[in-house]
Amino acid sequence: LTDGMGNTADFRHACLILTSNLGNRPAALQAVDGDLTPGKDPNTAGLLQAVRAALPVELLGRLDATVPFSRLSVEDLEQIVDLKLQDLAQRIPQVQALTATDAARRWLAEHVWSPDYGARELDRVLRSDLEPLLADELWSHTGNQAPQRLRVELATPEGPLALLPVG
């Protein structure tokens, strides 16, 4: 393969993975009886029908496999929340640990889940709702020992988020 600049790449031993949200299009959803239940196994035949309708035959003929995935459940998203909080804590030297209460984790998971985007909104919500709280907490301890362990909680049962030092 040669790009526009004349650089050549060898793809003989490459594995390309294509992802899509074709399973969330109306035709595919009808094929799974319109069931948007998170964690439900997809109707493979209906999903493959949606893929065939959307992609050209020339591309489909070059694919070795098509692997459908189940929609994320709220429990899956709660685990993703924990992973994202760990990643955020690792990026900030002053934070040793960043955890969430069960209620905050559940609120985040339910708040970001959508049949169209899965967990994609989680990063945006963490940036807009949590990172400013984290910045305020760290800024308020400038010159002092910043709290090393922080916990995400709900300010009220309906949200928004709150950030409290632990210990």
Side-chain angles (χ1 to χ4, degrees):
L1 178 69
T2 305
D3 67 11
M5 304 280 291
N7 300 316
T8 303
D10 182 0
F11 274 80
R12 285 181 290 184
H13 302 289
C15 176
L16 301 178
I17 299 174
L18 309 173
T19 62
S20 103
N21 281 341
L22 289 173
N24 286 332
R25 292 194 175 170
L29 293 175
Q30 288 173 355
V32 291
D33 302 322
D35 190 350
L36 297 177
T37 306
K40 182 172 176 19
D41 287 331
N43 175 334
T44 303
L47 294 177
L48 294 178
Q49 180 181 355
V51 169
R52 285 187 200 101
L55 299 178
V57 174
E58 297 82 11
L59 177 60
L60 288 173
R62 288 176 166 72
L63 299 179
D64 291 332
T66 304
V67 181
F69 290 91
S70 300
R71 287 181 183 86
L72 294 173
S73 68
V74 173
E75 290 77 19
D76 294 331
L77 285 172
E78 288 179 10
Q79 291 178 6
I80 294 170
V81 166
D82 285 337
L83 293 172
K84 293 288 186 179
L85 292 178
Q86 288 173 10
D87 289 345
L88 183 57
Q90 288 177 352
R91 290 192 333 239
I92 303 169
Q94 298 91 336
V95 177
Q96 180 183 9
L98 182 61
T99 59
T101 63
D102 291 340
R105 189 179 306 108
R106 173 67 59 155
W107 182 86
L108 277 165
E110 290 174 350
H111 192 68
V112 301
W113 185 86
S114 84
D116 293 331
Y117 299 110
R120 289 189 182 110
E121 290 294 306
L122 181 57
D123 287 327
R124 184 192 60 75
V125 169
L126 290 177
R127 262 192 320 277
S128 65
D129 294 3
L130 181 62
E131 287 183 11
L133 297 174
L134 184 56
D136 289 344
E137 181 66 29
L138 295 175
W139 185 257
S140 69
H141 290 86
T142 301
N144 300 343
Q145 176 70 21
Q148 296 293 308
R149 302 177 65 78
L150 299 168
R151 182 175 52 235
V152 180
E153 297 185 353
L154 288 178
T156 69
E158 296 82 31
L161 298 174
L163 189 64
L164 300 173
V166 176

